[in-house]
Amino acid sequence: MPTFIKKTDFFKLYSLTDGVYAAIAIPGKGAWSNTGIVDLGDEVLIFDTFSTPSAGQELRKQAELLTGKKVKHLINSHYHGDHVFGNQAFRDASIISTVETKELSKEKNKLGDVKKEIEHTKEYLRSLKQQIDLTRNTILKASLENQYNEMNKVLNDIPRLEIVLPSVLFEKKLLLKGSKRKVELHCLGGGHTPSDTFMYLPEDKIAFMGDLLTENLHVPIINPEDFLHIFERVRELNITTYVPGHGNVGNKELLNELEGYVTFLKDTVTDAINKHVPLGSLVTRFEAPLPYKNWMGVGGIEGNLSKMYEFYRGKKQLRSGCTLI
């Protein structure tokens, strides 16, 4: 079981085993996602960097206080800002990602004129506030409020935010060896984004999963087939402790829950497509079963239903060579 160490303004620190730590985001405070700290022996490795430079700086401070060593390596699991906007605190480290994650980060995480970025973010926050005021669904309201609070923290840090890209690239697997332990980086494709990396510590039986694993969250899914394939491969590894991208540290039950969710959505949409049920009718009539009804996420289960419907409809069109509903 994780052992609580301390609470900062942004996250709570837990020890998973000697030299391995999870930094679990405190909702609405500017961290937004979870990160990891690994003592390799002579140097320290960080997995992901939160959503703001302020949280990233605090992560580095705590990592070096805990270990008494400098951070040498940083892993970016994928390109989303809530996992990489703290990168600038580690600009002197080797920042590692897949080739595709670097390209996506370069393309999607562009910073233009600071004044314009601030105004765009303020406009987005105004839109969120209107949604919060209008919604009566308590789960959706809580999700929107958390999004609002996190984006406010990003807004505060925009004047000092710099996009720092990875400098060390790999494709499918990379092994990093230290005097104390080794870590394996795996990219088996992309389920949440086009390229998702997780980190496996074989001697410690620990995996830092990024957003390939989340707790009670409608994590956006772009490729359900890749997601299910990744789950299958992860099950082949000897893992007892899982650190999700969002949520609390857990065991294999976390994997079972998200795999069950993706499988449920797949079965629902493929059945609808085979019965020629239009997407609008499917979403309108859909009633989320427990426990998914109480999961967080601004897109909700309807967002993933829509994405997966289009995914499987596209696959069926390719197979049949004709236009479907």
Side-chain angles (χ1 to χ4, degrees):
M1 290 294 292
T3 302
F4 176 74
I5 299 175
K6 69 187 300 185
K7 177 181 177 181
T8 74
D9 291 340
F10 306 96
F11 53 86
K12 294 179 181 179
L13 273 172
Y14 294 87
S15 173
L16 306 182
T17 190
D18 181 41
V20 182
Y21 309 91
I24 306 300
I26 300 172
K29 298 298 183 181
W32 207 341
S33 63
N34 299 332
T35 69
I37 301 167
V38 180
D39 184 350
L40 296 175
D42 301 318
E43 54 207 22
V44 176
L45 176 150
I46 300 292
F47 185 84
D48 282 343
T49 62
F50 298 132
S51 63
T52 60
S54 296
Q57 191 60 51
E58 183 65 20
L59 175 64
R60 178 162 196 162
K61 173 186 170 183
Q62 294 300 330
E64 295 183 348
L65 281 173
L66 278 172
T67 63
K69 301 163 189 175
K70 293 292 184 183
V71 174
K72 178 68 179 294
H73 305 287
L74 164 63
I75 316 303
N76 284 166
S77 65
H78 61 290
Y79 76 91
H80 287 165
D82 59 322
H83 293 257
V84 304
F85 280 178
N87 273 15
Q88 68 193 66
F90 304 90
R91 63 171 68 254
D92 59 333
S94 297
I95 304 179
I96 304 169
S97 81
T98 63
V99 174
E100 192 163 10
T101 290
K102 178 180 179 178
E103 290 306 309
L104 286 165
S105 191
K106 186 177 180 180
E107 175 190 350
K108 305 289 188 181
N109 297 333
K110 290 179 179 178
L111 265 182
D113 178 81
V114 171
K115 289 183 179 179
K116 288 183 179 179
E117 293 291 343
I118 289 172
E119 190 48 49
H120 288 161
T121 305
K122 285 182 176 179
E123 181 58 37
Y124 175 66
L125 286 167
R126 285 191 287 268
S127 174
L128 275 178
K129 186 65 169 63
Q130 289 175 350
Q131 293 180 64
I132 292 167
D133 292 340
L134 290 171
T135 187
R136 295 294 175 262
N137 182 303
T138 55
I139 300 297
L140 177 57
K141 185 182 283 286
S143 300
L144 290 168
E145 286 173 344
N146 185 66
Q147 183 94 353
Y148 183 87
N149 292 335
E150 295 289 5
M151 285 306 300
N152 253 312
K153 297 298 183 182
V154 173
L155 174 64
N156 292 340
D157 265 20
I158 285 177
R160 60 187 295 249
L161 175 62
E162 300 174 45
I163 303 301
V164 178
L165 297 173
S167 53
V168 178
L169 306 178
F170 76 102
E171 291 287 349
K172 295 181 179 179
K173 183 176 179 180
L174 181 65
L175 178 65
L176 296 172
K177 286 186 176 181
S179 59
K180 188 173 184 177
R181 58 170 48 86
K182 65 181 179 181
V183 302
E184 298 176 8
L185 303 180
H186 294 269
C187 180
L188 304 174
H192 172 57
T193 72
S195 182
D196 294 294
T197 295
F198 69 91
M199 180 172 70
Y200 174 47
L201 283 60
E203 295 127 325
D204 303 296
K205 303 178 184 178
I206 296 170
F208 289 83
M209 296 298 297
D211 283 359
L212 289 170
L213 190 62
T214 56
E215 181 189 32
N216 299 338
L217 178 70
H218 296 291
V219 61
I221 299 167
I222 67 159
N223 189 321
E225 294 297 318
D226 271 6
F227 233 130
L228 292 172
H229 170 68
I230 291 166
F231 289 143
E232 185 179 326
R233 293 289 301 276
V234 168
R235 287 187 181 281
E236 297 171 1
L237 302 173
N238 187 8
I239 303 170
T240 57
T241 302
Y242 293 81
V243 182
H246 300 266
N248 297 303
V249 177
N251 54 29
K252 193 163 285 186
E253 189 56 35
L254 271 181
L255 193 71
N256 295 340
E257 287 175 355
L258 193 57
E259 184 177 32
Y261 173 75
V262 178
T263 302
F264 166 74
L265 290 177
K266 175 185 177 179
D267 292 344
T268 299
V269 299
T270 53
D271 182 64
I273 290 168
N274 290 334
K275 292 178 178 176
H276 303 286
V277 177
L279 175 58
S281 298
L282 172 63
V283 173
T284 301
R285 300 171 187 171
F286 182 76
E287 182 71 26
L290 291 173
Y292 312 137
K293 184 179 291 188
N294 296 323
W295 284 18
M296 299 279 282
V298 294
I301 198 168
E302 294 82 7
N304 277 331
L305 269 178
S306 299
K307 289 178 183 176
M308 290 176 69
Y309 188 97
E310 295 301 332
F311 177 87
Y312 283 109
R313 185 171 68 166
K315 286 192 70 172
K316 191 167 184 177
Q317 285 175 338
L318 286 173
R319 287 197 302 270
S320 65
C322 64
T323 301
L324 302 176
I325 53 173

